[in-house]
Amino acid sequence: MRHSCALTALLALSGNCLAQSSVDLYGIVDVALRGSSGLAAGNSPAPAGHTAAVSSGIDNTSRWGLKGREALGNGWAAQFRLEGGINADAGTQAKSDRLFDRQAWAGIETPYGALAAGRQTNLISDALIPVDPLGKRYAAFNPNINVAGLSNTAFGTHAFGRQYGPSGYADNFYRLDNTVKYTANAGPLLARAAWSFGEVPGDTSASSSHGAALAYQRPEWTVSGAVEQFRSREDLVLNAWTLGAAVRAGAWQFKANIARNKAGTGPDKTVRQRVLSAGVSRQLMPDLLLTTAWYRVRRVATGFQDDGFDRAFLFLEKTLAPRTTAYAEADHTLWHGDAAGRSGSQPNARHGTGLTLGLMQKF
């Protein structure tokens, strides 16, 4: 949805409207009815019993944003993006302390690649985009986003317990502040490199992050991987990597990925996580897509029993119009070790099951 002067007035931005020659307002509103057993409304382990909720962002994360691009001539262009998550079930910001928690950057596009600076996704996340079996659906519950992509490392007894890289949050390093990212295409090759400044006085490595990603993309198949290192303010190190592939054969698509990370959490203390994932999707009809996915997560932490979980998903999506999709989702989680934990004195269920009916609209 293209806006110029009207968008500028709506947002009470000052300046000459003619200078903003290409600005888009865009977003997703995804709301669903969800019932679950053995899971709380936020999908954490819970005692046996049923829960019903209105949920936001199950097929795709609800969000809104602004993006702009202005040609500078000779293949050069200036661009920016501001994007914030929203809880469509409650009408609130996804992060109460940040208006644009998902992306906030400006950059230059050149014939030799693109350079952007600001708050951006980490390189592990970028590498997962084409090879995650769910296509990064259900971000709040997708192990490739939470465990491999480091969006939520806080569940259970194996939490990292601190911030690695300049994310602004403990146990969540999926997006990083103060990041400079370079992206270049050379035929089927897509390469990325990034450095996130920790901004700790007197120590350039503390709270920083750096890494590289490489993908080889063809119409029928893709291979994508990345390595990245994150450091805490105390200079503890978190190393992460991911490698996956996607293959398309007619109406079928097959995806698989492996990811691992290891964090130093104190003197002679570490947390190690690994995620195996695989999935199949099929275009049943031009407007009907079936996607299945399986994830196996295992965790090892100094001083704790090994744990993890297995989780399976099924998504059925019906395109009602170019911007409107109805969907049904089912998931099942089996907890291992102490991952299920307890709620007070009551043990949580060893199994969790969810069923969802939802509607997603894009603008």
Side-chain angles (χ1 to χ4, degrees):
M1 185 177 180
R2 184 105 12 183
H3 295 257
S4 55
C5 294
L7 174 63
T8 306
L10 176 64
L11 298 174
L13 298 176
S14 62
N16 188 341
C17 289
L18 296 177
Q20 299 201 24
S21 59
S22 177
V23 175
D24 293 328
L25 170 66
Y26 67 93
I28 295 173
V29 179
D30 183 320
V31 181
L33 300 177
R34 177 169 170 82
S36 60
S37 175
L39 296 170
N43 290 326
S44 59
H50 297 283
T51 303
V54 175
S55 299
S56 173
I58 287 183
D59 194 306
N60 258 283
T61 303
S62 297
R63 71 195 73 170
W64 77 284
L66 301 166
K67 60 181 179 179
R69 185 179 184 278
E70 185 168 22
L72 303 177
N74 299 318
W76 290 65
Q79 53 188 345
F80 76 90
R81 180 167 295 207
L82 302 170
E83 185 176 289
I86 57 176
N87 299 315
D89 56 325
T92 57
Q93 295 173 204
K95 301 288 187 184
S96 60
D97 60 333
R98 294 171 187 253
L99 178 60
F100 299 114
D101 64 295
R102 295 176 58 85
Q103 299 187 67
W105 55 264
I108 293 289
E109 181 182 307
T110 80
Y112 315 103
L115 188 67
R119 182 169 175 83
Q120 302 176 70
T121 52
N122 68 40
L123 293 176
I124 302 296
S125 163
D126 294 341
L128 283 167
I129 289 174
V131 296
D132 174 45
L134 274 185
K136 304 191 84 172
R137 293 175 179 84
Y138 210 163
F141 207 41
N142 182 329
N144 267 346
I145 295 177
N146 287 286
V147 183
L150 301 167
S151 176
N152 179 15
T153 65
F155 69 91
T157 58
H158 294 52
F160 289 0
R162 58 176 42 81
Q163 177 180 319
Y164 293 82
S167 68
Y169 303 101
D171 294 299
N172 183 342
F173 332 118
Y174 190 81
R175 297 178 176 87
L176 302 173
D177 300 339
N178 315 324
T179 297
V180 176
K181 185 184 293 186
Y182 174 74
T183 304
N185 285 93
L189 285 174
L190 173 65
R192 294 185 178 96
W195 176 276
S196 301
F197 294 87
E199 299 187 352
V200 176
D203 190 342
T204 58
S205 67
S207 293
S208 68
S209 178
H210 65 276
L214 186 65
Y216 191 87
Q217 301 174 321
R218 305 294 296 178
E220 301 82 12
W221 57 275
T222 297
V223 176
S224 178
V227 294
E228 190 159 5
Q229 182 179 96
F230 307 75
R231 288 182 174 271
S232 73
R233 192 175 184 88
E234 304 83 12
D235 258 338
L236 295 171
V237 176
L238 163 62
N239 289 312
W241 62 267
T242 183
L243 180 64
V247 178
R248 184 179 296 278
W252 295 87
Q253 188 170 39
F254 306 87
K255 296 181 179 181
N257 195 79
I258 180 172
R260 296 198 176 198
N261 53 65
K262 178 181 178 181
T265 56
D268 300 319
K269 291 184 178 182
T270 62
V271 175
R272 288 179 290 165
Q273 302 183 120
R274 64 183 186 275
V275 184
L276 300 177
S277 57
V280 180
S281 62
R282 176 172 170 77
Q283 198 75 47
L284 301 176
M285 292 188 291
D287 60 352
L288 192 64
L289 177 66
L290 176 67
T291 302
T292 63
W294 167 83
Y295 296 84
R296 178 183 176 91
V297 177
R298 294 295 181 267
R299 305 188 304 169
V300 179
T302 305
F304 295 99
Q305 179 185 345
D306 298 353
D307 73 5
F309 59 88
D310 294 306
R311 183 169 293 155
F313 292 91
L314 183 148
F315 267 88
L316 186 63
E317 296 165 291
K318 168 73 172 178
T319 301
L320 304 178
R323 296 181 180 178
T324 304
T325 300
Y327 63 88
E329 179 270 349
D331 55 79
H332 182 76
T333 302
L334 172 61
W335 305 101
H336 295 275
D338 291 333
R342 306 176 69 87
S343 295
S345 60
Q346 188 174 3
N348 291 325
R350 303 287 297 176
H351 299 262
T353 301
L355 295 172
T356 310
L357 292 175
L359 185 69
M360 176 179 65
Q361 294 183 290
K362 299 180 179 180
F363 61 89

